[in-house]
Amino acid sequence: MDKPPWWAAGVDLNKPSSARVYDVHLGGSHNFEVDREVAEAASRLMPTLPAVLRANRSFLRRAVRYLAGQGITQFLDLGSGIPTVGNVHEIAQRENPECRIVYVDNDLIAVAHSRSLLEGNDRAEAVRADLRHPDEVLGHPDVAAMLDLRQPIAVLMFAVLHFVADEDEPAAIVGRYVEAIAPGSYVAISHACNDHVDESTLQAAELYSRRIGGFHMRPAERIAEFFAGLSLVEPGLVDLTEWRPDSPEQQPRDEKLWTGPGGVGRKP
């Protein structure tokens, strides 16, 4: 096949990736047939899935605006995925051009496309690394060159920790990032939740887990544990659409869109 301009050497065309499947749901074009097959199958099982993922991007935008408004000028976006409209650097640097951003992902195409998008922006960088290894991420030379961990920083983990298995101890991973960042820093998290979901949603999650390689929905009380040592910003850990909305979310008249929880915590 003819390789697209955003091609990255080493990509396995036979294996879907979470970043590229997410890109499909958001209407992006940086994906392959295998990714589209998984996205379409999941949407058949859970027709609200694209709306849930759009709500997650909306939460990201609101959270980044809030953080920039609090004077945060450094952002570490873990599991950043493939760039789409309303990226962290666009939002943060619109609020304050001095903001510095590092995107971290282990998907080859996500990193390659991010680097292409960031050409000419000397205050943003993309690195390929695994968020499950905080010391390697924080010690990466490009991270160290862009971000000063002695100063407040925002660590972003949007829709990514549900790809971390229990045996990898996601709460301990978050805790290591919290330990490493300066007082006055923030951590923002959204996560797939298995409270109040129907059988078709569980089937969609099982499909993701089987095809992508691990998808771990968790109850809200487990997700709350990721904020240990942090003070939750109001309104706390809530449905994504309820976290400081710009305007009332448009929901079906007879059904609330359940998106799962999100929150922002501040390190005292």
Side-chain angles (χ1 to χ4, degrees), residues 54-68:
R54 288 194 297 271
N56 183 73
R57 292 298 298 186
S58 180
F59 169 59
L60 176 153
R61 290 189 284 270
R62 298 194 308 275
V64 171
R65 282 201 305 269
Y66 169 81
L67 293 166

Side-chain angles (χ1 to χ4, degrees), residues 6-262:
W6 40 267
W7 176 264
V11 173
D12 184 352
L13 293 180
N14 297 310
K15 181 176 175 54
S17 85
S18 57
R20 298 195 309 266
V21 172
Y22 194 179
D23 182 62
V24 176
H25 287 305
L26 292 178
S29 59
H30 295 80
N31 51 73
F32 302 111
E33 182 62 31
V34 66
D35 307 304
R36 293 188 285 274
E37 289 174 358
V38 172
E40 291 164 6
S43 293
R44 285 195 297 271
L45 290 166
M46 183 183 173
T48 59
L49 181 55
V52 169
L53 297 182
R54 288 194 297 271
N56 183 73
R57 292 298 298 186
S58 180
F59 169 59
L60 176 153
R61 290 189 284 270
R62 298 194 308 275
V64 171
R65 282 201 305 269
Y66 169 81
L67 293 166
Q70 297 303 301
I72 295 296
T73 59
Q74 303 187 104
F75 294 82
L76 179 63
D77 188 359
L78 301 171
S80 52
I82 292 171
T84 186
V85 175
N87 296 297
V88 172
H89 73 280
E90 296 170 328
I91 301 162
Q93 291 176 348
R94 187 179 304 127
E95 298 293 322
N96 182 349
E98 299 299 311
C99 285
R100 300 189 302 277
I101 298 91
V102 176
Y103 295 102
V104 177
D105 207 287
N106 61 3
D107 183 88
L108 288 163
I109 286 177
V111 175
H113 188 41
S114 295
R115 287 173 176 165
S116 175
L117 183 70
L118 297 172
E119 286 183 7
N121 189 331
D122 62 1
R123 291 184 175 272
E125 182 60 88
V127 303
R128 188 177 183 222
D130 191 328
L131 70 87
R132 294 176 298 177
H133 306 295
D135 292 338
E136 293 180 15
V137 171
L138 297 172
H140 191 288
D142 291 340
V143 175
M146 186 65 68
L147 305 177
D148 181 359
L149 297 183
R150 297 170 298 180
Q151 301 298 321
I153 183 175
V155 178
L156 313 178
M157 302 183 188
F158 295 110
V160 66
L161 288 171
H162 43 238
F163 293 107
V164 178
D166 286 343
E167 53 264 34
D168 289 326
E169 301 182 346
I173 291 171
V174 177
R176 176 66 190 102
Y177 286 105
V178 172
E179 178 185 355
I181 58 182
S185 296
Y186 292 82
V187 175
I189 295 171
S190 63
H191 194 294
C193 182
N194 54 11
D195 294 336
H196 317 300
V197 297
D198 57 22
E199 183 60 29
S200 62
T201 299
L202 295 176
Q203 290 174 357
E206 191 280 328
L207 171 71
Y208 261 57
S209 190
R210 175 165 41 85
R211 295 295 306 276
I212 295 176
F215 185 83
H216 311 276
M217 301 177 77
R218 296 182 170 98
E221 63 181 18
R222 287 282 309 282
I223 298 167
E225 294 172 3
F226 298 151
F227 292 93
L230 301 170
S231 299
L232 278 170
V233 171
E234 290 294 335
L237 184 63
V238 295
D239 187 273
L240 300 182
T241 61
E242 297 172 358
W243 198 91
R244 297 174 177 258
D246 295 322
S247 60
E249 299 289 338
Q250 298 299 311
Q251 306 292 357
R253 290 183 180 179
D254 59 347
E255 184 178 5
K256 172 78 166 61
L257 178 65
W258 172 241
T259 64

